[in-house]
Amino acid sequence: LERARRELPAADAQRRAMFAALLPKVSVGANLALNSTEVSFGDPPDDALVLPKKDWDYRVVATQPLFAGLREKRAYDQAKLAAKGAAETGRGAEEDVLQEVASAYSAAAGGKALVEVEARNVALVAQRRKQAKDLYEAGETTRVDLLRAEADGKAAEERLVTARQLLEEALGRLRLALALDGELDVDVESALLPPLPPEEELIASALARPAVRQAELALESASLEVKKQQGAHLPVVFAEAGWIQQKRAFPVAEYGYGALRFGLDVFRGGEVVARVAAARERETQARLALEELRRAVKEEVRVALHGVDSARARVKLADERLTSAQADYDQTFDQYRSQLLTALDLASAETSLADARRGRISARLGFFLAEVRAFHAAGALAPAARKETAR
């Protein structure tokens, strides 16, 4: 983000450099020469030195551009557009960085929640193992149920270890995204964003996204390039003033001058025409790219909103599935304890409950990321994050 923000001062410095082309230029020059002979004419004391043996001169010259087909002005206007585009680069980078942080945070929060789920699953299997042991010791079941429960317990512990490893990897990615060191505390409950605005408002915001604004600025710059190249057909006019002092006294030892200089290229082999044609084609390409980008961002917003609706429906289904799975497990465990169902039935209920818990985490974080993508598609993720932080 900081690298992207550095584009603005760099572009502004380029703008100032372009503005310098409109200002007067002052130069100082000097010459020192040693000639093989010295020449003068006339008789002393009225003789005039034409070629000194040791010759020198210096001059101060000021030049002011007056007219060059407005090419300098067009270039300066392009530099101002480039500075605006650099500001949009920083704004776009902020949106991208926030999306990256949100993705890393959701992965870390999901990893933490998954560790808690796997720990609860370990407890479920331990509860079944204890029940199977009690029944085995009472002679109600065979040792197979106990061995199966012990094997499932090891598998659950292995999944817990894997979940902890994934959590550490996700926290590492989050630390990298935040450019922070040390411990981080994440919570899936805090992954919140403000309510999404209506579709029309999001589309209007998307049409002002940094990428779209940069495409609009590129079109303006391409239009200025056409006019700048057309300016090569026009004459160049500039004013010049100078002061010269020299050793030779012919015609005078020192003098000043002012001049108005004019130049016009009458024939350049069709170079200017070709450059104008190329600039027009670049302008057409920029216009087509802008139209395509505007259509793309509109569709991106619509698709993102459909994704939010689908994610919201999945959250509801996941909650209902978890409620049903929990009720099924509770009833199955009671019946297993009463020897009305087998250990396989209880293991199946445990698996369904564990999957439902994982599915609920996935659905909730999926809904959060769907909202993040919707705000990002509209170019409004940074304002939304600031609003939620303030709230």
Side-chain angles (χ1 to χ4, degrees):
L1 179 58
E2 188 62 26
R3 288 198 306 270
R5 286 173 174 168
R6 294 292 177 181
E7 288 293 329
L8 181 56
D12 190 64
Q14 187 66 27
R15 177 195 61 80
R16 295 196 301 271
M18 289 296 178
F19 182 72
L22 304 174
L23 301 178
K25 305 294 186 296
V26 179
S27 62
V28 177
N31 296 300
L32 179 64
L34 180 63
N35 298 315
S36 60
T37 185
E38 185 172 281
V39 179
S40 61
F41 67 88
D43 297 324
D46 299 325
D47 60 334
L49 186 61
V50 179
L51 182 65
K53 192 172 185 62
K54 294 180 180 180
D55 193 12
W56 57 264
D57 68 81
Y58 69 86
R59 64 188 61 207
V60 180
V61 178
T63 304
Q64 171 61 60
L66 298 179
F67 182 76
L70 298 177
R71 281 175 286 179
E72 291 89 350
K73 183 180 182 304
R74 310 293 190 202
Y76 177 65
D77 291 340
Q78 287 178 319
K80 289 195 295 183
L81 293 176
K84 292 181 181 179
E88 295 296 332
T89 298
R91 193 163 67 92
E94 185 177 12
E95 289 283 319
D96 294 339
V97 166
L98 281 174
Q99 185 184 36
E100 179 183 356
V101 170
S103 299
Y105 189 88
S106 65
K112 181 180 179 181
L114 185 61
V115 168
E116 296 173 356
V117 166
E118 296 301 344
R120 294 172 67 185
N121 293 339
V122 170
L124 285 181
V125 180
Q127 185 178 14
R128 173 159 60 94
R129 180 182 178 280
K130 180 180 180 303
Q131 186 63 37
K133 182 179 180 181
D134 292 343
L135 293 175
Y136 172 70
E137 291 176 350
E140 298 292 335
T141 61
T142 64
R143 184 174 174 78
V144 174
D145 290 345
L146 178 59
L147 294 175
R148 182 178 292 115
E150 291 177 348
D152 290 344
K154 298 302 180 182
E157 291 176 2
E158 182 180 355
R159 287 192 293 269
L160 178 58
V161 171
T162 301
R164 287 171 176 166
Q165 178 185 355
L166 294 176
L167 173 59
E168 289 303 319
E169 294 175 358
L171 288 173
R173 291 192 295 271
L174 180 58
R175 280 191 288 267
L176 182 61
L178 294 172
L180 294 176
D181 296 320
E183 296 296 325
L184 293 176
D185 185 24
V186 292
D187 180 13
V188 68
E189 300 295 336
S190 65
L192 300 173
L193 285 171
L196 280 167
E199 180 178 338
E200 296 76 11
E201 185 176 339
L202 288 176
I203 290 178
S205 178
L207 292 176
R209 272 173 52 176
V212 178
R213 283 291 300 136
Q214 287 177 327
E216 292 171 348
L217 294 172
L219 177 58
E220 292 183 46
S221 181
S223 301
L224 286 173
E225 184 66 22
V226 173
K227 297 177 181 178
K228 185 173 72 173
Q229 295 301 333
Q230 289 174 335
H233 290 295
L234 301 176
V236 176
V237 181
F238 63 94
E240 183 177 299
W243 175 262
I244 300 174
Q245 187 170 6
Q246 56 189 3
K247 182 175 182 179
R248 51 187 179 276
F250 183 82
V252 290
E254 59 182 63
Y255 65 95
Y257 73 92
L260 186 64
R261 305 195 185 278
F262 171 91
L264 177 63
D265 292 329
V266 179
F267 179 72
R268 296 179 63 175
E271 177 186 356
V272 175
V273 175
R275 288 183 175 178
V276 171
R280 288 191 184 279
E281 293 302 323
R282 298 300 182 194
E283 181 186 22
T284 301
Q285 288 178 333
R287 182 178 295 106
L288 294 174
L290 176 59
E291 293 174 359
E292 180 181 3
L293 185 57
R294 282 173 174 168
R295 289 194 298 269
V297 297
K298 289 179 182 179
E299 289 303 319
E300 186 177 353
V301 169
R302 295 189 181 101
V303 171
L305 288 177
H306 284 299
V308 171
D309 293 337
S310 299
R312 184 182 292 109
R314 282 193 290 270
V315 169
K316 181 180 179 182
L317 292 174
D319 290 339
E320 295 173 353
R321 177 189 175 190
L322 179 58
T323 301
S324 300
Q326 184 67 54
D328 177 58
Y329 172 80
D330 294 339
Q331 184 176 2
T332 302
F333 184 80
D334 290 339
Q335 291 179 345
Y336 172 69
R337 187 164 47 189
S338 301
Q339 288 295 288
L340 298 177
L341 291 176
T342 66
L344 292 177
D345 296 323
L346 183 58
S348 177
E350 285 176 1
T351 302
S352 298
L353 179 57
D355 290 342
R357 288 171 174 173
R358 298 187 193 103
R360 183 171 183 267
I361 295 172
S362 177
R364 295 186 64 184
L365 292 177
F367 177 66
F368 169 69
L369 288 178
E371 287 189 316
V372 168
R373 285 190 289 269
F375 277 111
H376 184 267
L381 184 55
R386 293 190 185 98
K387 181 177 180 181
E388 180 59 28
T389 302
R391 188 183 69 82

